[in-house]
């Protein structure tokens, strides 16, 4: 059990539960809508090309604002930024649920992304401050890791239940009561922190450069427009981010101190994170489509088909993983977990047209859950371990930015690979289901490659053991 601390005997466990519930709500929102997309398309008349913007309108501001939001938490207080973001996210969820046309839904999905970035960016910083030493920090990050890795699968389940049992509107409206409860609990349980104050300096130019560059980068990743436009926007995104790096060298108070990247755990952890998440989030997106388009399961059954993944993830992340890290160190557990996950993905590369859930899908889902249950807490602990206490907010924002860009990159690249392969086969006369299955097999191979690269990066870049972040 984790010890109580704070005035009036407030429990760190309760504070951790509040932070993880808020994080879970935001993570769920990234996947809960995926299962509901066909219903939204039928109800609001989206074209197939415009339908992607229900997801992209959320991802672009979310990925772009995480780093700035984390720094803002360091300056004005993480609790304050957390509550502002939670309020924006909850109101936007209500408005999304009430939307009756395409433009309104996309606009408020964008607002949801802004609120999600403000909320999520400071959570890791708050957790490592609440639990400054091992083994408590390892257990806390294990719970957070489960929320991140298992939440996406839980979103598939909940999305299927709400869409089929009620309507797609409830995939948005479900956030409203949760947001209200979390806000009230935050006021009651989590102590106010003052932050360094705006007088410590706000790098406005740096904030504009990194936010616009990150948003543009995420947009380019998820956009499926003409190649010339995409390459032009990618070049602009690179220029903006390069300008941000140059600005950080000269700014009196940099938004993101480049000294952070002198830390081997921070640099190595973030590189592993982007590769790992690219493979695993792409895998979940692909599997949801494989179950519906090839195995022809309905939305509700597809949602429940993912249940073994968060269950296996929870067992490892909340119980076994922290014990293994304490005994063997971070790098062996991280690499071992990724190896198990890669084995699960490799099994999916056979993805038969006439596949059976219990023999062709369930084993890979279990292996993925076990592997990610070990790997996610280890990589998050690594990436957060060497940031100085006064920069926990920006370090947290960096980790979440890496996670989000990895998710967007993996989903976009692997979905494009699957669709291109399927389209080329259909043109040669192959049936729709056979062509789709072949596309998924190629994409699963790509997902496996991402995770194998993450294993190599972990072995080369991550130290065997990392130290927990001390209290700021």
């Amino acid at each position: 059990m984790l010890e109580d601390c704070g005035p009036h005997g407030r429990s760190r466990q309760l504070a951790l539960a509040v932070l993880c519930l808020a994080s879970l709500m935001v993570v769920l929102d990234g996947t809960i809508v995926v299962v509901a997309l066909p219903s939204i398309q039928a109800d609001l008349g989206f074209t197939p090309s415009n339908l992607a913007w229900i997801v992209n309108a959320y991802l672009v501001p979310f990925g772009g604002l995480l780093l700035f939001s984390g720094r803002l938490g360091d300056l004005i207080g993480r609790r304050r930024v957390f509550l502002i973001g939670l309020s924006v996210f909850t109101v936007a969820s209500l408005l999304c649920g009430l939307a009756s046309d395409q433009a309104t839904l996309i606009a408020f999905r964008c607002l949801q992304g802004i609120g999600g970035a403000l909320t999520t960016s400071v959570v890791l910083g708050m957790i490592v401050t609440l639990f400054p030493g091992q083994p408590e920090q390892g257990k806390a990050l294990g719970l957070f890791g489960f929320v991140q890795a298992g939440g996406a699968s839980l979103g598939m389940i909940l999305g299927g239940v709400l869409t089929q049992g009620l309507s797609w509107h409830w995939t948005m409206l479900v956030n409203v009561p949760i947001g209200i409860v979390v806000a009230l609990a935050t006021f009651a349980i989590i102590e106010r922190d003052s932050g360094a104050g705006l007088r410590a300096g706000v790098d406005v130019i740096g904030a504009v450069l990194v936010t616009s560059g990150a948003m543009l980068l995420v947009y380019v990743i998820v956009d499926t427009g003409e190649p010339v436009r995409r390459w032009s926007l990618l070049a602009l995104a690179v220029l903006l981010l390069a300008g941000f790096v140059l600005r950080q060298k000269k700014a009196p108070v940099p938004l993101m101190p480049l000294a952070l990247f002198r830390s081997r755990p921070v640099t190595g952890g973030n590189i592993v994170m982007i590769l790992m998440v690219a493979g695993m989030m792409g895998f979940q997106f692909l599997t949801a489509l494989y179950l519906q388009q090839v195995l022809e399961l309905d939305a509700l059954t597809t949602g429940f088909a993912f249940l073994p993944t968060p269950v296996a993830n929870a067992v490892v992340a909340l119980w076994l993983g922290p014990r293994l890290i304490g005994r063997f160190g971070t790098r062996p557990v991280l690499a071992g977990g990724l190896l198990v996950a890669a084995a699960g993905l490799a099994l999916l590369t056979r993805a038969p047209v006439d596949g059976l859930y219990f023999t062709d899908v369930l084993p890979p889902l279990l292996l993925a859950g076990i592997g990610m249950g070990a790997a996610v807490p280890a990589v998050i602990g690594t990436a957060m371990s060497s940031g100085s206490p006064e920069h926990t907010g920006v370090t947290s924002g960096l980790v979440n930015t890496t996670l989000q860009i990895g998710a967007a990159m993996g989903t976009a690249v692997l979905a494009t690979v699957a669709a291109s392969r399927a389209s080329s086969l259909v043109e040669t006369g192959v049936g729709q289901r056979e062509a789709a299955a072949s596309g998924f097999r190629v994409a699963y191979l790509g997902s496996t490659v991402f995770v194998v690269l993450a294993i190599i990066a972990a072995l080369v870049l991550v130290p065997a053991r990392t130290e927990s972040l001390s209290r700021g």
Side-chain angles (χ1 to χ4, degrees):
M1 298 291 288
L2 301 172
E3 298 177 0
D4 291 342
C5 72
H8 314 300
R10 289 174 179 168
S11 169
R12 291 187 293 171
Q13 288 178 285
L14 289 175
L16 177 62
V18 170
L19 294 173
C20 285
L21 181 58
S23 183
L24 177 62
M25 180 176 66
V26 176
V27 170
L28 287 174
D29 202 74
T31 58
I32 194 173
V33 74
V34 172
V35 179
L37 287 177
S39 296
I40 298 174
Q41 182 178 16
D43 190 20
L44 300 185
F46 277 91
T47 64
S49 59
N50 289 337
L51 190 64
W53 280 102
I54 298 173
V55 176
N56 297 346
Y58 177 84
L59 290 177
V60 171
F62 186 93
L65 286 168
L66 282 166
L67 192 60
F68 172 68
S69 300
R71 178 55 177 162
L72 194 62
D74 288 335
L75 295 176
I76 69 173
R78 296 175 201 123
R79 179 178 177 266
R80 180 178 297 174
V81 171
F82 178 80
L83 284 168
I84 292 171
L86 190 63
S87 301
V88 171
F89 185 86
T90 303
V91 171
S93 296
L94 174 63
L95 296 172
C96 284
L98 298 176
S100 58
D101 60 79
Q102 297 179 23
T104 301
L105 179 59
I106 290 176
F108 290 131
R109 282 288 285 171
C110 182
L111 188 62
Q112 261 190 319
I114 295 171
L118 289 166
T119 303
T120 304
S121 64
V122 293
V123 167
L124 270 174
M126 296 169 80
I127 289 175
V128 297
T129 301
L130 279 168
F131 302 96
Q134 295 288 2
E136 289 85 359
Q137 189 179 105
K139 294 177 182 177
L141 290 177
L143 179 58
F144 180 81
F146 161 68
V147 167
Q148 295 296 306
S153 296
L154 290 172
M156 298 288 190
I157 298 169
L158 190 58
V161 171
L162 293 174
T163 301
Q164 195 152 319
L166 296 170
S167 73
W168 69 263
H169 298 275
W170 284 96
T171 61
M172 314 287 182
L173 294 174
V174 69
N175 294 322
V176 177
I178 299 174
I180 293 172
V181 169
V182 171
L184 293 175
T186 301
F187 280 112
I189 296 170
I190 299 178
E191 296 180 55
R192 179 182 300 175
D193 59 312
S194 58
L198 292 176
R199 292 181 180 178
V202 180
D203 181 14
V204 177
I205 296 175
V208 171
L209 287 171
V210 72
T211 301
S212 56
M215 281 187 175
L216 198 55
L217 179 61
V218 175
Y219 175 84
V220 170
I221 291 172
V222 300
D223 185 33
T224 57
E226 59 183 34
V228 174
R229 183 186 69 181
R230 295 183 70 192
W231 282 108
S232 299
L233 293 177
L234 178 60
L236 179 57
V238 170
L239 286 174
L240 289 169
L241 293 174
F244 169 71
V245 172
L246 293 175
R247 170 65 184 175
Q248 298 316 285
K249 292 181 178 180
K250 299 179 180 180
V253 184
L255 178 68
M256 185 182 69
L258 297 182
L260 284 176
F261 294 101
R262 295 174 190 164
S263 164
R264 186 179 169 193
V266 170
T267 301
N270 277 281
I271 291 174
V272 173
M273 175 81 77
I274 198 168
L275 293 169
M276 175 187 74
V277 173
M280 296 310 297
M281 286 301 293
F283 139 78
Q284 297 203 57
F285 179 80
L286 292 171
T287 304
L289 294 177
Y290 171 69
L291 291 173
Q292 294 184 80
Q293 295 179 2
V294 178
L295 301 190
E296 299 182 328
L297 303 183
D298 59 31
L300 183 61
T301 307
T302 296
F304 276 104
F306 279 90
L307 185 59
T309 300
V311 171
N313 187 290
V315 171
V316 177
L318 303 182
W319 179 72
L320 184 60
R323 288 168 171 79
L324 291 175
I325 292 172
R327 182 172 181 179
F328 299 107
T330 305
R331 185 172 60 198
V333 176
L334 174 57
L338 289 172
L339 184 61
V340 173
L345 294 174
L347 288 176
L348 282 169
T349 57
R350 51 185 300 275
V353 177
D354 56 350
L356 299 174
Y357 173 76
F358 287 101
T359 57
D360 299 304
V361 180
L362 179 59
L365 289 179
L366 286 172
L367 288 173
I370 293 168
M372 297 310 291
V376 172
V379 76
I380 290 175
T382 298
M384 290 294 297
S385 62
S386 296
S388 56
E390 65 270 22
H391 294 135
T392 52
V394 72
T395 307
S396 173
L398 174 62
V399 171
N400 281 294
T401 300
T402 300
L403 191 154
Q404 191 60 35
I405 289 176
M409 178 178 71
T411 301
V413 170
L414 297 175
T416 300
V417 167
S420 298
R421 172 66 174 170
S423 296
S424 64
L425 289 176
V426 169
E427 290 175 0
T428 65
V430 177
Q432 290 285 350
R433 287 180 63 224
E434 290 79 3
S438 179
F440 290 133
R441 286 194 289 270
V442 175
Y444 280 132
L445 179 60
S447 187
T448 306
V449 169
F450 273 127
V451 177
V452 169
L453 291 174
I455 296 172
I456 296 171
L459 293 174
V460 173
L461 300 174
V462 173
R465 292 184 179 271
T466 55
E467 299 298 325
S468 58
L469 186 68
S470 59
R471 184 185 295 273

